[in-house]
Amino acid sequence: MPPKAIAIIGSAIAGPTLALQILSNPVLKSAFRPILFDQAAAPGLESQNEKNRAGASVGLFANGLYPLYRLGLEDVMRKRGYECGFMTTWSCDYAGGYERLNSQADAMWSHDIQTGVMYFERRTLQSLLVDQVKEQGGEIHWAKRTTGFDSLANNQVKVSFDDGTHVFADLIVGADGGFSSVRKFILEQKHRGTASARWLPDYMGLTGFYAVSTAVKAKGASAQFSDSHCTWLENGFLASGPCPDGKIRWDLVLPEAKPPASTSPIQSVSEPRSDEERWQSAIVSSQYPYDETVEILRKHIDIFHPYAGTLKSLFNSADRIIRAPLRQRVWAQDEIQYQNMVLVGDAARLMLPTSGQGTGFAIEDATVLARELLKHASAPKDITLRDALEAYAKARVPRSKRMATTAKFAASMATSNGVFWRGLRYYGSKWQPDRLVPSRRRKKDPWPFSERIDITT
């Protein structure tokens, strides 16, 4: 019997990870043929609009690193990622004033896999995974935007694309992000009357600015390049840390009354008014008013940064600055799986950046799904394909809900302006004792970093 075709819609992180899990296991490889499709141009061919490539940077903790290390990728990931050292927390004002609150050596060190949190430029991690898929003979098709799905009488699904082509697949995996076309189809089949409301992730009252900048150490700066920093601001917070090739990733998260309307036109980007504010040309076009984005960033240019000196230095060396409304939602079990269709990654659950687990959970998803597919492939008479998909969905939703609850609390603590929350983040950080000497003693990682998922366990 020929292997069943799996059409994986989306090739960011979860999609290639699933393909790799299948291609790396002899039983899965004989049972399934994964085919990746992505609406983006192939890596290296985004030159039509380089700024529009997705994402900025991603962090991977032990739970996300473990499945990839098990695939034999540890060496290449250590070469192309950057492991963080110290984590220092600061309190800063808009005029350049600052106070160091505490420092923690090896704050996220994991003893069993002998690493701390690893940061990657998102496109670097994607390219790493895609290259591995290609090396193992996997198929990837770029510039393929889905336009429809049709369930057929033979239990296959016909997937149509905007270039007029189509494919037939035995299993559809939606790895196409928080605004998933696969999820939209599933919801329309199961919850037609409420599909639109269920499809949209919930707006969380926050806006995020993301970039990766070239790191230039300011004169007199005492921080090391390998240090990560969490900075409490008068309104919001800044997280920054090292990336490979001498770059710094930074995320600025601020409260916001309401997001731009979904019908708002994309705002064009103007040329910078002066060389002093050349960072303006790095702003990626979005539905936010351009002038509003400029004014918000301008308000933050004098904020102290322990390595670069000020945020202005980071702004000016950013190749692109992304702004997006922050949303979160964990879709229910019957919303992420329908017949022979299933969702992974942000398509199954979209989380706030305060979770720190968007990418890690995407890798977990792909691994758990591969594990359930392996059970089916090993005993197809006892475990049907649909049984496998239902088992995957049932396993993932509770963990996702717990993580989303944690992320929401962390966001409230980090951005709320009430006296209680401001005091909690300031004194909770200030009264935490410094740990300036690395302590890599054997201990179990805390939740959620303690998860170790393998397709055979």
Side-chain angles (χ1 to χ4, degrees):
M1 180 182 295
K4 296 176 180 178
I6 302 180
I8 303 173
I9 311 302
S11 64
I13 306 298
T17 300
L18 176 61
L20 272 179
Q21 293 285 10
I22 293 170
L23 294 169
S24 301
N25 183 277
V27 176
L28 283 172
K29 188 173 183 179
S30 65
F32 298 103
R33 174 178 162 237
I35 312 169
L36 286 158
F37 299 91
D38 199 288
Q39 65 179 354
L45 299 179
E46 311 99 329
S47 56
Q48 300 102 332
N49 193 344
E50 176 70 4
K51 287 183 183 178
N52 284 343
R53 67 183 189 271
S57 67
V58 297
L60 283 178
F61 296 83
N63 59 300
L65 291 168
Y66 180 79
L68 299 184
Y69 285 5
R70 293 284 290 171
L71 285 169
L73 303 182
E74 181 173 357
D75 288 345
V76 67
M77 291 185 70
R78 288 186 181 275
K79 290 177 181 176
R80 299 178 69 174
Y82 200 99
E83 183 179 348
C84 292
F86 272 74
M87 166 67 80
T88 300
T89 305
W90 306 81
S91 178
C92 296
D93 60 32
Y94 296 116
Y98 64 90
E99 178 184 1
R100 188 187 70 84
L101 301 180
N102 76 73
S103 296
Q104 303 294 315
D106 290 333
M108 294 299 175
W109 175 260
S110 173
H111 185 275
D112 65 326
I113 65 170
Q114 292 290 293
T115 188
V117 58
M118 299 278 292
Y119 280 96
F120 303 80
E121 281 200 69
R122 184 180 184 276
R123 59 175 176 172
T124 298
L125 181 58
Q126 178 191 26
S127 295
L128 183 157
L129 295 172
V130 166
D131 288 346
Q132 292 293 320
V133 171
K134 290 179 179 178
E135 286 183 16
Q136 298 209 32
E139 293 182 52
I140 305 176
H141 301 273
W142 302 98
K144 304 288 282 188
R145 186 177 69 85
T146 58
T147 57
F149 304 90
D150 295 291
S151 297
L152 306 179
N154 64 355
N155 293 323
Q156 285 192 317
V157 176
K158 177 184 176 182
V159 186
S160 300
F161 301 98
D162 63 351
D163 59 4
T165 63
H166 62 265
V167 296
F168 297 97
D170 300 287
L171 169 59
I172 305 296
V173 177
D176 49 343
F179 299 90
S180 167
S181 63
V182 182
R183 186 176 68 247
K184 180 176 288 188
F185 177 80
I186 290 175
L187 292 174
E188 287 172 349
Q189 306 312 301
K190 302 190 73 171
H191 306 282
R192 184 171 297 276
T194 57
S196 295
R198 290 170 178 263
W199 178 76
L200 186 66
D202 299 323
Y203 175 64
M204 304 303 289
L206 300 168
T207 184
F209 300 79
Y210 306 96
V212 175
S213 300
T214 301
V216 177
K217 190 171 185 176
K219 184 177 180 179
S222 59
Q224 299 301 309
F225 172 74
S226 59
D227 295 350
S228 291
H229 305 279
C230 176
T231 304
W232 304 133
L233 306 175
E234 294 177 22
N235 196 34
F237 71 94
L238 174 82
S240 63
C243 270
D245 303 320
K247 296 181 179 180
I248 289 179
R249 51 99 194 162
W250 55 268
D251 308 335
L252 177 64
V253 177
L254 307 174
E256 177 181 65
K258 62 179 181 179
S262 59
T263 55
S264 299
I266 299 296
Q267 301 287 320
S268 60
V269 174
S270 305
E271 289 299 315
R273 297 182 176 90
S274 69
D275 188 58
E276 283 295 303
E277 294 191 330
R278 60 184 182 273
W279 51 265
Q280 294 183 27
S281 61
I283 296 171
V284 175
S285 299
S286 73
Q287 292 179 314
Y288 282 105
Y290 171 75
D291 289 340
E292 175 192 285
T293 298
V294 168
E295 286 306 311
I296 292 173
L297 291 174
R298 186 178 285 147
K299 180 180 178 180
H300 293 79
I301 59 175
D302 293 326
I303 288 175
F304 167 77
H305 188 271
Y307 185 86
T310 63
L311 291 197
K312 182 179 180 180
S313 177
L314 292 180
F315 291 175
N316 276 334
S317 63
D319 70 334
R320 62 203 175 105
I321 299 174
I322 302 167
R323 184 186 180 190
L326 300 186
R327 297 178 179 273
Q328 178 168 280
R329 185 163 186 154
V330 177
W331 284 274
Q333 181 179 338
D334 69 342
E335 295 173 326
I336 67 170
Q337 185 271 320
Y338 169 70
Q339 294 183 354
N340 53 345
M341 306 181 78
V342 71
L343 305 176
V344 295
D346 286 352
R349 137 259 307 119
L350 186 64
M351 293 191 294
L352 289 169
T354 47
S355 72
Q357 285 291 333
T359 303
F361 270 44
I363 293 168
E364 286 186 13
D365 285 350
T367 308
V368 172
L369 179 54
R371 182 184 69 194
E372 299 304 325
L373 292 176
L374 179 59
K375 292 177 183 177
H376 161 69
S378 302
K381 293 183 179 179
D382 299 323
I383 303 173
T384 67
L385 179 58
R386 192 167 301 180
D387 289 338
L389 303 186
E390 290 175 354
Y392 155 80
K394 184 178 180 180
R396 294 306 292 160
V397 171
R399 180 166 166 82
S400 297
K401 286 184 176 180
R402 183 180 176 186
M403 190 69 252
T405 299
T406 302
K408 184 177 180 180
F409 173 82
S412 295
M413 190 276 291
T415 62
S416 295
N417 285 321
V419 174
F420 170 79
W421 292 109
R422 290 170 67 92
L424 179 63
R425 59 179 174 258
Y426 177 81
Y427 289 106
S429 300
K430 187 176 179 64
W431 292 344
Q432 183 178 6
D434 284 334
R435 189 175 74 235
L436 303 180
V437 178
S439 176
R440 298 182 174 182
R441 64 185 185 275
R442 180 182 294 275
K443 63 178 181 177
K444 184 177 180 180
D445 293 344
W447 190 94
F449 317 117
S450 57
E451 194 82 348
R452 299 290 182 268
I453 300 174
D454 186 87
I455 66 170
T456 58
T457 58

